Amino acid sequence: MGDRWHVEVDRSVCIGSAQCLHHAPHAFRLDSARQSHPVRPDTDAGEPVLEAAESCPVEAIVITLLESGEAVFPPEE
């Protein structure tokens, strides 16, 4: 069994570019205000979700390891 992630979208930062939907349409949805939110905040780790976070032009998507809270994206510096 692989890693599990917790995915959050900072809705105060999200600009509704929908890049997350392009990379991981199964994992994100836009609401009526064009704000993104994860379909399942706790999910299996996967490349499409990471690509969605990396492609967000305002870095509104935060991914952490579910068990430890360690940052996956954006990486800690």
Side-chain angles (χ1 to χ4, degrees):
M1 193 160 160
D3 287 335
R4 300 264 305 152
W5 288 345
H6 179 73
V7 180
E8 294 182 28
V9 176
D10 184 340
R11 295 168 61 90
S12 70
V13 175
C14 178
I15 60 171
S17 71
Q19 287 301 303
C20 54
L21 292 175
H22 174 74
H23 291 281
H26 67 285
F28 295 92
R29 294 287 181 262
L30 294 183
D31 63 18
S32 61
R34 291 198 48 81
Q35 296 287 296
S36 178
H37 59 91
V39 172
R40 289 182 196 87
D42 298 338
T43 188
D44 291 332
E47 194 63 29
V49 173
L50 182 58
E51 287 175 0
E54 292 173 338
S55 72
C56 179
V58 294
E59 291 189 353
I61 301 170
V62 176
I63 304 171
T64 56
L65 289 174
L66 187 59
E67 288 190 18
S68 68
E70 180 183 341
V72 174
F73 188 86
E76 293 177 345
E77 295 183 34

